Amino acid sequence: MSRARRKAAASAGAPGRVRKALATHWYAWTMVAPVVLVIGVIIGYPLVRGLYLSLTDANEANVERNIGMNHIPATYRFTGLDNYTEILGDGVFWSRLGWTVVWTVACVGLTFAIGLTLANLLNRKLRGRTFYRLALILPWAIPAFVSVFTWRLLYNEKNGLLNKLLAGGGIDAVPWLNDPTWAKLSVIAVNVWLGVPFMLVALLGGLQSIPGELYEAAEMDGAGAWQRFRNITLPSLRGVSSTVILLSTIWTFNMFPVIYLLTRGGPGDATEILVTYAYRLSFVDSPRDFSGSAAWGVLILLLLSMIAVVYRRSLRKQGEVW
Amino acid sequence: MRRGMVTTALVAGLAMAATACGGGGGGGDQQSGGELSGTVTFWDTSNDAEKATYKKLAEDFEKEHPKVDVKYVSVPFGDANAKFKNAAGGGAGAPDVMRTEVAWVADFANLGYLAPLDDTPALDNPGDYLPQALGSTRFKDKTYAVPQVTDTLGLFYNKRLLKEAGVEVPKTFAELSAAAKKIKDKTGATALYLRGDDPYWFLPYLYGEGGNMVDARDKIVEIDDDAGVKAFKAIKDLVDSKAAVTDATDGQENQLKALKDGSVAMAVSGPWDIEGVRAGKEFKDKKNLGVAPVPGGSASQGSPQGGWNLSVYAGSKNLQASYAFVKYMSSAKVQQQTTEKLSLLPTRKSVYELPSVKNNEMVGFFKPAVDKAVQRPWIAEGNSLFEPIKVQMNKVLTGAATPEQAAKAVGDSYRKILKDYK
């Protein structure tokens, strides 16, 4: 076959394939098209726009606007990677990243451990099981900001319920949100409280899909409760737990409401994670720094994508298809 | 999960479309006959003790202009700045008139969100306004707001507790510190509640040491010089010596409660808290509340000039009605009513001549204080200068930073915000 003919065949083949695909799946494509369009407009466009803005020096004062009698022309410039070098060269980013990692690991680890324990307890046959399940899932049904404000009332150093209880036991008031270390523990506690129901439900589902025969057989072979847990429950749960751990890592990494509503990142900047810090930089100062905030957003997205890829790869190494 | 996302996306899309369409409403304006009509949306930022009075006053405007519909919206002070910026910058949902904090005017005007009010009916008899109050309404030679109330910080004190302890009202923070032990021993109360959560409350300490945030005329950052360091040290010493209690969150509620219950003898606050404090059990006898000038530091005495202005959104569909509403809300009559009901300080010289205002005890104290209050730099970035102070005063109070480190850190962030400052 000469080169020209091969080229012609290839170019003839391409539209053919597309047409064939369209012919077989046209129905699916029509059904999906509106969704693709909406996602493209709502997620794709802002993402691309954000990427572009992060390479400029755009802020609230120099983007184009028409407000009644006032017209403000666009005067921002393309500045390349300046925003990124500035952020990465600043100690603030790295110190916040350190605490964000501690916060994420602590929250995910604790919610998983507590969720797994509770799920195991609830997987037994016991009286009033439905009641316990409902009670444990309830925190999930309450909007996060309501829970957080409730906790804030409880934590209030001078008038909060927690310190009143401690005072009853003769213990000095704990500066829950007014001391850097206590504040860190307090925000983690709230996030764990909010996160456990999700873990519980997911893991309970996983537990119930494990066939009872496995446990029976193990028991016949004389395996103890701990051995059964380690060798049957944990491996069988791997599919579910790897998914929920990844999801929960991503959520916790970006858990804006808990920190912002509970401490506003304080005292000082002790509990500030990357997203709340980005918020403080971009929305508290004036004029609002659109380009800087876009660059922070892109960096956070990159970090999370990296975590997901590394995590998936390590699972695949363990033989998990996911 | 995925299905959830798609639904959210669809809902968000529809919501966006709906708000985009909704922005055009409002309609109506001055009719040919000269009678005002249409809707004026008013965002009020007054606090819980004040808002009922403001709502009623705003709605009374409809009696004078029956064809104008005033939509009163109460917006919490803490959210108002961000909420207005979101709405104004996004081009939908901004109010026609907003009660704007004095430090926000230059910021909003700089971004093009406010309508200039020179030569409009809104700026009625400007010669009658106190010059300090008028200062915050001007930006780049134009007037962008009209003063509504003015205020400054004062020292609220519980007369009974001070009397029981046998101490005088302190004139400096050093005197307060010295009296603290007596107050604690004789009454069980702590001497002072120190707002550690709000940077505005740092200013009396800064001014008291002879410092300032920035020198806007010569473009110099001043907060990181000696006076700034001393100011951070002053708050730290008050808390460490147990002369004061503080919080990093919920300071407004905690301070009010502590003062009302008599668990602290003194607190620094402004006229906006008078009504709230008087609702407490310690102040059932209204005479038990005393107000004195904010104590001074080692160098001088000073408290920041605050207050609220009324501004008109440049994109308002109803400019004429909005101007008339602003004129009404800042009129002598309305100012007189807010003083009688809430003890707030008027911004018009003529109102101070009225007997009911003249004889108001709180006005009697706060008026001379306001006359001497320190004007803040009315620059576009003025409001941004507070966040760095907040972070650092938190750090100093919790021992996470020394006063020197704190002052330096605030100075550094100021130079980032104000790029052409030294």
Side-chain angles (χ1 to χ4, degrees), chain A residues 122 132-142 197-198 200-201 204:
Chain A
L122 284 181
Y132 291 121
R133 282 192 186 174
L134 279 177
L136 283 167
I137 293 167
L138 205 63
W140 210 12
I142 303 169
F198 167 72
L200 172 70
V201 173
L204 193 58

Side-chain angles (χ1 to χ4, degrees), chain A:
Chain A
M1 218 194 292
S2 81
R3 183 175 287 191
R5 271 177 67 192
R6 211 184 307 161
K7 221 175 175 180
S11 62
R17 258 207 305 279
V18 171
R19 203 175 300 147
K20 209 172 149 196
L22 273 178
T24 28
H25 301 298
W26 69 269
Y27 186 71
W29 282 116
T30 345
M31 297 308 279
V32 165
V35 172
V36 172
L37 209 75
V38 167
I39 289 186
V41 170
I42 290 176
I43 296 174
Y45 172 72
L47 190 68
V48 174
R49 174 102 183 132
L51 269 173
Y52 167 70
L53 281 178
S54 74
L55 302 174
T56 66
D57 64 352
N59 64 33
E60 199 177 14
N62 62 17
V63 294
E64 187 180 6
R65 293 181 309 285
N66 274 310
I67 294 152
M69 65 204 89
N70 299 329
H71 172 78
I72 294 102
T75 51
Y76 60 92
R77 293 172 308 120
F78 187 82
T79 57
L81 293 174
D82 281 6
N83 287 317
Y84 293 96
T85 48
E86 197 182 320
I87 294 169
L88 296 176
D90 193 1
V92 169
F93 177 80
W94 299 104
S95 71
R96 289 306 105 208
L97 180 62
W99 158 242
T100 309
V101 170
V102 173
W103 147 263
T104 310
V105 171
C107 285
V108 175
L110 283 170
T111 34
F112 183 74
I114 297 173
L116 186 60
T117 317
L118 290 174
N120 266 299
L121 290 177
L122 284 181
N123 197 31
R124 292 152 192 252
K125 287 208 168 57
L126 66 149
R127 195 175 299 176
R129 187 160 75 160
T130 326
F131 171 75
Y132 291 121
R133 282 192 186 174
L134 279 177
L136 283 167
I137 293 167
L138 205 63
W140 210 12
I142 303 169
F145 76 93
V146 176
S147 308
V148 175
F149 279 131
T150 314
W151 276 96
R152 193 161 143 170
L153 290 176
L154 297 178
Y155 277 142
N156 191 311
E157 187 180 343
K158 301 198 171 64
N159 313 313
L161 191 63
L162 287 178
N163 278 346
K164 291 246 163 76
L165 288 176
L166 288 178
I171 301 168
D172 276 353
V174 174
W176 296 108
L177 302 178
N178 297 326
D179 171 82
T181 315
W182 277 110
K184 284 179 181 175
L185 293 173
S186 302
V187 287
I188 291 176
V190 172
N191 196 44
V192 168
W193 192 80
L194 284 173
V196 161
F198 167 72
M199 286 286 185
L200 172 70
V201 173
L203 293 173
L204 193 58
L207 284 177
Q208 286 177 344
S209 69
I210 304 174
E213 293 83 6
L214 284 177
Y215 290 104
E216 270 173 42
E219 224 167 325
M220 299 282 273
D221 291 343
W226 176 244
Q227 280 176 312
R228 273 177 281 154
F229 179 73
R230 271 205 53 193
N231 296 313
I232 302 176
T233 313
L234 280 186
S236 314
L237 275 182
R238 198 181 272 166
V240 178
S241 50
S242 59
T243 312
V244 291
I245 286 177
L246 181 64
L247 278 179
S248 149
T249 304
I250 292 173
W251 290 339
T252 311
F253 199 89
N254 280 339
M255 186 48 86
F256 180 81
V258 169
I259 298 219
Y260 185 73
L261 297 178
L262 206 60
T263 64
R264 300 228 158 191
D269 52 6
T271 57
E272 199 95 73
I273 56 173
L274 289 178
V275 272
T276 56
Y277 200 88
Y279 177 86
R280 184 181 278 186
L281 280 182
S282 347
F283 288 95
V284 178
D285 286 351
S286 184
R288 292 177 172 187
D289 183 5
F290 295 153
S291 57
S293 104
W296 273 84
V298 170
L299 285 172
I300 291 170
L301 183 69
L302 280 178
L303 276 168
L304 283 175
S305 318
M306 248 160 56
I307 293 174
V309 168
V310 170
Y311 185 74
R312 236 183 104 172
R313 199 164 283 171
S314 76
L315 283 182
R316 202 175 288 159
K317 248 185 214 153
Q318 290 169 25
E320 199 68 45
V321 186
W322 184 69

Side-chain angles (χ1 to χ4, degrees), chain B residues 359-374:
Chain B
N359 299 332
N360 184 310
E361 191 198 355
M362 292 298 150
V363 173
F365 161 70
F366 272 111
K367 175 64 171 47
V370 161
D371 286 341
K372 281 195 289 184
V374 181

Side-chain angles (χ1 to χ4, degrees), chain B residues 94-113:
Chain B
D96 299 294
V97 178
M98 179 159 112
R99 190 170 182 256
T100 311
E101 216 260 344
V102 283
W104 301 349
V105 175
D107 185 10
F108 292 166
N110 180 45
L111 296 171
Y113 294 156

Side-chain angles (χ1 to χ4, degrees), chain B residues 212-222 376-379 385 418 420-421:
Chain B
N212 207 343
M213 295 197 279
V214 296
D215 176 347
R217 212 192 53 198
D218 295 334
K219 305 208 164 185
I220 300 169
V221 173
E222 295 188 315
R376 287 181 272 156
W378 306 123
I379 51 176
L385 300 181
L418 305 159
D420 52 343
Y421 275 52

